[in-house]
C-alpha cells in the first residue's frame, strides 16, 4: 500500500514536472544553439565555438567571472557559518518565534536590494543615524558599501537573504539530534565550543554542504541584487550576459547566450563536485559505524 501511495503522489506532480522540464530543456537548448552562432533570424547559420573562445580571451569576462565567484563564495560561506551558529543558539534557547527568521525567505531579492539602498547607501538611514550620533563623515564610510568593486552591498544582501534558509535547514537536523554526545564530551572536560565543533558539526556536515551548494548555485546565477547594487565594472556574470543581450546588434546575441551557458555549466559542475563530497562523507560515516 505504501508503494502504491508513493506512485500516486509521483503521478500527481508528473504533468507539472513534464511541463517545467520541457520549458527548461527547450530554453537551454535554444540558448546553446545561439551560443554556437546558430541564429537564423539574424541570418547566422554557421555553428562555431568562436564566441566561447572570444569570451574566454576577454579580460572583462575574466574579471566578471572572478568578481562573481568572490561575492558568491564569501556570501555563501558567511551565510552557512551564521546559519549554523544561530541555529545552535536557537536550539539551546528554545525560542519558538520562527516568523522572525522565516521572514527574509519570502521577501523577493529585488526588495532586498531596495532595502539595501535605503539602509546602506551614503545618504541612507544608517548613514544619517551615524551622523546624528556624531559621525561627521558617515557618508564617506557608507559610500564603500554600494556600487563598489568590493561587492560589499551584494555580499551583505545575499547574507541577509540566505542565512535564514541555511538556519532552517540546519535547525531541523539539530532538533532531531541527541545532545548526549556533546554532554559526554563536556562531562569529560571538553569545552562547549570544542564539543560542538568536533562532535555536532561533523554530523551536520552533509546538510551544511548541501545547503552551501544550493545557496552558492543560486547566488552565482542571480541577477537582481548584482544589477541594482553592483559596480559598473566589473559586473557580475549574469549582469554582463544581460548587457550583451540588450545590444541592438543581433550578431552580439551569441555572446550573451555563451555567458549564460557558462554560468549553467559552472553551476552543474560545482553541484556535482559538492554532491560527490557529500556522498563520500556519508559513506565514510557509515563505514566508521
Amino acid at each position: 500500500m505504501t508503494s502504491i501511495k508513493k506512485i500516486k503522489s509521483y503521478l500527481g506532480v508528473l504533468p507539472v514536472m513534464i511541463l517545467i522540464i520541457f520549458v527548461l530543456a527547450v530554453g537551454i537548448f535554444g540558448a546553446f544553439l545561439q551560443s554556437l552562432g546558430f541564429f537564423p533570424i539574424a541570418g547566422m547559420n554557421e555553428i562555431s565555438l568562436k564566441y566561447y573562445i572570444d569570451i574566454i580571451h576577454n579580460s572583462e569576462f575574466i574579471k566578471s567571472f572572478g568578481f562573481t565567484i568572490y561575492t558568491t563564495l564569501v556570501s555563501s560561506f558567511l551565510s552557512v557559518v551564521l546559519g549554523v551558529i544561530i541555529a545552535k543558539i536557537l536550539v539551546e534557547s528554545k525560542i519558538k518565534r520562527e516568523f522572525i527568521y522565516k521572514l527574509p525567505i519570502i521577501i523577493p531579492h529585488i526588495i532586498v536590494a531596495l532595502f539595501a539602498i535605503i539602509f546602506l547607501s551614503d545618504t541612507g538611514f544608517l548613514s544619517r543615524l551615524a551622523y546624528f550620533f556624531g559621525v561627521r563623515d558617515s557618508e564617506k564610510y557608507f559610500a564603500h558599501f554600494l556600487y563598489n568593486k568590493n561587492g560589499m552591498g551584494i555580499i551583505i544582501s545575499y547574507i541577509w537573504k540566505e542565512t535564514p534558509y541555511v538556519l532552517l535547514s540546519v535547525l531541523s537536523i539539530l532538533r532531531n539530534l541527541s545532545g548526549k554526545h556533546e554532554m559526554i564530551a563536556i562531562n569529560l572536560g571538553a569545552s562547549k565550543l570544542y564539543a560542538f565543533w568536533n562532535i555536532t558539526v561533523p554530523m551536520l556536515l552533509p546538510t551544511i554542504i548541501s545547503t552551501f551548494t544550493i545557496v552558492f548555485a543560486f547566488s552565482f546565477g542571480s541577477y537582481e541584487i548584482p544589477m541594482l547594487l553592483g559596480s559598473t565594472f566589473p559586473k557580475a556574470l549574469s549582469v554582463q550576459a544581460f548587457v550583451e543581450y540588450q545590444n541592438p546588434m543581433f550578431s552580439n546575441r551569441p555572446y550573451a547566450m555563451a555567458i549564460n551557458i557558462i554560468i549553467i555549466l559552472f553551476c552543474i559542475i560545482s553541484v556535482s563536485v559538492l554532491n560527490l563530497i557529500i556522498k563520500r562523507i556519508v559513506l565514510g560515516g557509515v563505514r566508521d559505524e
Side-chain angles (χ1 to χ4, degrees):
M1 289 296 293
T2 305
S3 60
I4 294 173
K5 287 182 179 180
K6 284 184 178 180
I7 292 171
K8 285 183 178 180
S9 63
Y10 289 136
L11 289 175
V13 298
L14 189 60
V16 177
M17 291 302 298
I18 290 173
L19 179 62
I20 292 173
I21 292 170
F22 175 77
V23 171
L24 285 174
V26 170
I28 292 172
F29 183 70
F32 177 67
L33 286 179
Q34 289 186 27
S35 72
L36 295 175
F38 186 77
F39 195 24
I41 297 175
M44 302 167 67
N45 299 305
E46 294 183 6
I47 293 178
S48 170
L49 292 174
K50 169 186 179 300
Y51 301 98
Y52 286 97
I53 295 170
D54 289 347
I55 284 173
I56 292 171
H57 287 88
N58 189 319
S59 61
E60 187 173 349
F61 169 80
I62 300 299
K63 289 178 180 178
S64 293
F65 189 81
F67 178 75
T68 306
I69 290 179
Y70 154 68
T71 54
T72 305
L73 270 178
V74 172
S75 62
S76 300
F77 175 77
L78 292 177
S79 296
V80 168
V81 171
L82 288 172
V84 172
I85 292 172
I86 297 171
K88 178 64 175 175
I89 293 171
L90 290 175
V91 167
E92 290 186 347
S93 61
K94 297 180 180 180
I95 295 175
K96 298 294 184 180
R97 296 180 181 178
E98 296 185 355
F99 71 92
I100 296 174
Y101 50 86
K102 284 183 178 179
L103 185 61
I105 295 177
I106 63 175
I107 296 177
H109 279 74
I110 192 168
I111 303 300
V112 176
L114 293 176
F115 282 165
I117 293 171
I118 292 171
F119 284 95
L120 297 177
S121 66
D122 52 359
T123 57
F125 175 78
L126 293 179
S127 176
R128 292 171 183 268
L129 189 65
Y131 182 83
F132 177 79
F133 283 105
V135 182
R136 298 304 174 189
D137 296 328
S138 61
E139 71 280 357
K140 292 182 181 179
Y141 297 109
F142 281 89
H144 298 288
F145 281 96
L146 304 182
Y147 322 118
N148 201 288
K149 293 180 181 180
N150 60 26
M152 286 297 295
I154 298 173
I155 292 171
I156 292 171
S157 299
Y158 278 152
I159 290 172
W160 189 84
K161 179 68 178 172
E162 294 162 357
T163 299
Y165 172 76
V166 178
L167 190 157
L168 287 175
S169 301
V170 174
L171 194 60
S172 61
I173 304 298
L174 273 179
R175 283 175 175 168
N176 293 324
L177 284 177
S178 173
K180 63 181 180 181
H181 299 92
E182 276 193 43
M183 290 304 299
I184 292 170
I186 292 170
N187 289 333
L188 291 173
S191 65
K192 285 187 176 181
L193 180 61
Y194 180 89
F196 177 70
W197 178 255
N198 290 279
I199 296 173
T200 304
V201 170
M203 291 191 285
L204 291 173
L205 205 53
T207 302
I208 290 172
I209 296 175
S210 62
T211 51
F212 176 85
T213 303
I214 294 169
V215 166
F216 178 85
F218 183 84
S219 301
F220 192 85
S222 183
Y223 168 77
E224 303 96 326
I225 288 177
M227 178 65 180
L228 293 173
L229 305 181
S231 61
T232 55
F233 182 83
K235 297 180 176 68
L237 279 184
S238 56
V239 179
Q240 187 63 36
F242 183 73
V243 170
E244 298 292 348
Y245 186 85
Q246 280 190 314
N247 194 305
M249 298 294 293
F250 278 153
S251 59
N252 208 64
R253 184 69 57 83
Y255 289 109
M257 296 306 172
I259 294 174
N260 286 325
I261 295 299
I262 289 171
I263 292 172
I264 293 170
L265 289 176
F266 183 82
C267 289
I268 290 173
I269 292 170
S270 301
V271 169
S272 301
V273 170
L274 289 171
N275 280 334
L276 284 174
I277 294 172
I278 293 171
K279 287 180 181 178
R280 288 192 176 185
I281 291 171
V282 173
L283 289 175
V286 171
R287 287 170 185 170
D288 292 339
E289 291 176 359

